Amino acid sequence: MKLGFATFLLVCLLLSSSVFEVTMAGSSFCDSKCGVRCSKAGYQERCLKYCGICCEKCHCVPSGTYGNKDECPCYRDLKNSKGNPKCP
């Protein structure tokens, strides 16, 4: 019984670590794209925060530091609670 439980835990641990690696791969994509997008922003932390949120939802970030939002309609169309664009 203990051996079966130990095997079960080991399998769960291996599966969770592989899922974690896939999740982190998406984050590094967003981090690098948002780093470029926010490189000239006046409020870097805020820009990186909202760009990261938008990137995780939309899986894309427009090129350049400003504009080009037509490249990513999801990113372009996200709005905050006041109806203003959410994504930098």
Side-chain angles (χ1 to χ4, degrees):
M1 184 68 151
K2 289 182 181 180
L3 182 60
F5 183 70
T7 305
F8 174 75
L9 285 177
L10 183 62
V11 168
C12 288
L13 180 64
L14 291 173
L15 288 176
S16 66
S17 67
S18 64
V19 168
F20 181 71
E21 288 175 17
V22 170
T23 304
M24 290 304 290
S27 295
S28 65
F29 168 79
C30 288
D31 288 347
S32 65
K33 293 288 188 177
C34 288
V36 172
R37 183 77 178 171
C38 296
S39 64
K40 294 184 179 179
Y43 297 97
Q44 288 249 322
E45 283 186 37
R46 185 169 61 183
C47 182
L48 290 169
K49 174 184 174 182
Y50 287 107
C51 181
I53 291 169
C54 295
C55 179
E56 291 295 326
K57 281 187 179 181
C58 298
H59 306 290
C60 66
V61 175
S63 62
T65 57
Y66 185 80
N68 303 321
K69 289 188 177 182
D70 289 335
E71 295 175 3
C72 186
C74 170
Y75 190 97
R76 176 193 65 211
D77 296 337
L78 284 177
K79 305 289 184 201
N80 64 17
S81 61
K82 295 179 181 178
N84 297 323
K86 181 174 192 152
C87 308

